Structure formats: structure tokens, C-alpha cells
Amino acid sequence: MKRTKNEDHFDIVEDHYFTATELEKSSAIWPVRLGMDISKTSCHVGPKAVPYFYLIFVLEGQAEFIYKQQKYRVQKSDLFCFFPHLAHEYYTDQEHPLQKVWIAFEGPKSLALLERIGINPSTPFMANAVSEEILELISNLFSIVNDNRQGSDLARLITLHQIFEELSRNTSDVLRNFVCSDYWLQQGKDYIEMHYCDRVTIEQIAEHVGVDRAHFSRKFHSTFLISPAKYLQNLKINEAKRLLEQTTYNLSIIAQSIGYTDMSTFSKAFKKTAGIPPREYRFRHQSRQEIRTVNA
């Protein structure tokens, strides 16, 4: 949906809203809104909060952004991020109208991707971050939306990720490491979730993210309040429960499918986590299902 009109604080507004498709929702992030405006001079916007992540690309002009009690002087080529449900406000310059583009997005990897480009809730601002390549990608995104071309959900998705890729390319390692000193921790958690059925070990996970096992385990536990070994085992056992409930596979096949080499180890791990042996778990589930069927 497109909206173009004058508003109290703006001379020009072009605003597009998207309804995310299933394809977009299967991605790390997806766009929900795209727009541009030219603010009036000497105006005050906010305080207000937004429901999504907003990347603000400053095209021209100047303003003072106030966010989490910090003040940021923004100007041409600067980048700013508004985070969901955190209030912000800004004052436009008396002589230099603020012209900006915004892209609102959401998705399970929003924070991780923002950290890739050196942005987090404590460091929402990047000076001189908007390159010609990024402006071209933003222009492409507007063209896709305005043309309303078939398959535009995929085109929107690709272009949004390309913008993040270009921003990441232009982010220095020093800034990224400063903002994302623990980014490797999320990488390790993602790796566990992807490979928990592959007989992966904590040593292999730590090696994958480039830290030693002891440091990985300590940091994982302090951040997620569970040890990586326990988290790995919980994922295995939850998958085993699903297979016990939804399939007729024998216990040996289930054990092998979640990375256990023998039945004894699997049964002990299952009972330790679930409180009962896997065979009894399946029996109880089947009994409950039969009762529901009779009472239906």
C-alpha cells in the first residue's frame, strides 16, 4: 500500500506498507515498510516509538536525534537505527531541511544482522555510512515497489539483504568487533541448532567460532543461562519426543537420527531430560491420544 501526502512535520511523504509473504517470513529478515520524506525546518518530531526496526538513511540536511537520553547530530550520508518500542525524537535544522529514506523490517535475525553492520541499541548511529552503492540499492527497492512487479516479494527480500551486505562490507572490523564482541556466541548457538543431529561436539562448535571450549562454555552459560552441552542435549531430546509422538520408528532409528551411537546412551539421556524412558514416553502419548479419540 502506498501513501503520499503532506503531514504536519513534512513537506513530502512517500510511504509504502507491505504484507509479508510466507517466503519473506522464512528469511532472516523481511521488509515491512519503505518511505522517504523531507522534513520542515525547525520542527520537532516525537517522542514516539515504532513497532519495527527502522534504518534511517540521511540524504540531505541536518537534525538532532535524541535516543535513550543521548543526542546525535546527523547529516548527509549518516545512518541511524530506531529499535522497536524504544522512544525517540528529533529536531530538524533551521536552515537545512532533513531529507531521509527509511526501511522498516523485522525477522528473527534482525539484531544479528544489525550487529554485522556495527549497530546495536547502545550504538544506533554511524556517520558517513551511506555510499553511492547503497543509494543505488535503495533506489532499486523503490523501483521494485512502485512497479509492483510479479514476484516482488522475492525482489524486495533480495534487495534488502543486498543493502545489509553492502553496509557490512563498509563496516570496519574495529567497529564490528567493538559492537559485536560476542557475535561469535550467537554463531555458536546457531551452529548447535543447525547441527544438533550430526554428532557435533562442544569442542567442534567452539572451534567453528574461533574460541576455546572452556571460554565458549562459560560465555554461553552466562548469556543463555544453560550450558551448551545441556542446550545441545535438550534439542536432541525434543526432536526425539517429536519422533516418538509422530512416527512409528523404532528406538534404534530415532537414537541414530538425533546423533546417538547406541541405544543405552540415548535411553539414559532421554530419561535424564524427560524423566521417563523413551519407550514409556511413547506409550503414555499413545494412551492420551486414544483417550482423546474416544472422547471426541
Side-chain angles (χ1 to χ4, degrees):
M1 180 179 71
K2 179 180 178 180
R3 181 174 59 137
T4 304
K5 66 177 183 180
N6 292 335
E7 295 189 347
D8 291 341
H9 301 301
F10 306 107
D11 288 330
I12 298 175
V13 172
E14 179 178 349
D15 205 352
H16 302 270
Y17 294 85
F18 313 125
T19 300
T21 65
E22 290 303 314
L23 173 66
E24 289 176 299
K25 289 181 178 180
S26 68
S27 182
I29 58 169
W30 55 87
V32 295
R33 192 174 175 186
L34 171 70
M36 64 81 60
D37 63 52
I38 301 177
S39 304
K40 295 178 179 178
T41 57
S42 301
C43 74
H44 175 211
V45 179
K48 64 178 183 178
V50 291
Y52 309 112
F53 296 89
Y54 272 71
L55 279 182
I56 308 298
F57 303 85
V58 180
L59 305 181
E60 297 287 348
Q62 298 177 8
E64 182 179 73
F65 281 40
I66 303 173
Y67 182 76
K68 295 182 71 174
Q69 300 180 329
Q70 296 290 322
K71 295 181 179 179
Y72 303 85
R73 190 69 182 175
V74 301
Q75 57 188 0
K76 181 178 179 179
S77 299
D78 289 347
L79 176 71
F80 204 94
C81 184
F82 298 149
F83 286 78
H85 312 300
L86 294 179
H88 67 271
E89 60 183 311
Y90 61 89
Y91 295 84
T92 61
D93 189 81
Q94 185 174 359
E95 298 180 356
H96 304 93
L98 182 67
Q99 181 177 352
K100 65 185 186 296
V101 167
W102 68 87
I103 302 174
F105 60 94
E106 62 179 331
K109 299 299 181 183
S110 296
L111 284 172
L113 283 173
L114 285 169
E115 288 184 344
R116 284 278 189 97
I117 65 173
I119 293 286
N120 68 18
S122 298
T123 56
F125 170 71
M126 289 179 65
N128 199 32
V130 186
S131 66
E132 290 297 325
E133 291 79 9
I134 291 170
L135 290 177
E136 183 176 352
L137 288 167
I138 292 172
S139 178
N140 291 343
L141 191 55
F142 273 99
S143 296
I144 292 166
V145 174
N146 286 318
D147 291 348
N148 197 25
R149 66 185 68 164
Q150 188 172 6
S152 61
D153 58 343
L154 181 56
R156 288 197 308 260
L157 199 59
I158 290 172
T159 307
L160 177 60
H161 283 75
Q162 286 176 327
I163 290 171
F164 269 91
E165 195 277 334
E166 189 64 36
L167 287 168
S168 178
R169 181 183 302 171
N170 296 337
T171 302
S172 70
D173 290 338
V174 173
L175 177 60
R176 186 180 292 111
N177 290 337
F178 174 75
V179 172
C180 325
S181 58
D182 295 335
Y183 180 71
W184 55 266
L185 188 61
Q186 185 61 49
Q187 284 184 310
K189 185 171 180 285
D190 292 343
Y191 192 83
I192 293 174
E193 293 170 356
M194 184 178 298
H195 297 285
Y196 68 90
C197 289
D198 299 335
R199 300 180 187 176
V200 66
T201 65
I202 304 304
E203 288 83 0
Q204 290 171 330
I205 298 164
E207 182 180 356
H208 173 73
V209 299
V211 298
D212 67 77
R213 183 190 189 282
H215 181 57
F216 177 78
S217 295
R218 284 195 302 270
K219 193 66 179 178
F220 193 101
H221 189 276
S222 65
T223 302
F224 300 116
L225 304 180
I226 187 173
S227 72
K230 182 65 174 177
Y231 186 71
L232 175 62
Q233 181 170 292
N234 284 350
L235 289 173
K236 289 176 178 289
I237 299 308
N238 285 340
E239 177 63 9
K241 288 179 179 179
R242 187 189 71 82
L243 293 172
L244 288 166
E245 294 171 4
Q246 299 180 12
T247 76
T248 58
Y249 298 153
N250 63 46
L251 298 187
S252 178
I253 291 176
I254 292 176
Q256 292 177 23
S257 70
I258 60 172
Y260 286 98
T261 56
D262 62 84
M263 271 294 301
S264 176
T265 304
F266 166 62
S267 295
K268 289 178 181 178
F270 190 97
K271 184 175 181 179
K272 182 177 180 181
T273 301
I276 56 176
R279 198 179 304 277
E280 183 177 347
Y281 181 90
R282 171 174 273 172
F283 175 77
R284 289 187 182 183
H285 176 76
Q286 290 174 341
S287 298
R288 289 194 296 268
Q289 290 294 99
E290 291 171 358
I291 292 173
R292 292 193 190 101
T293 302
V294 170
N295 293 334

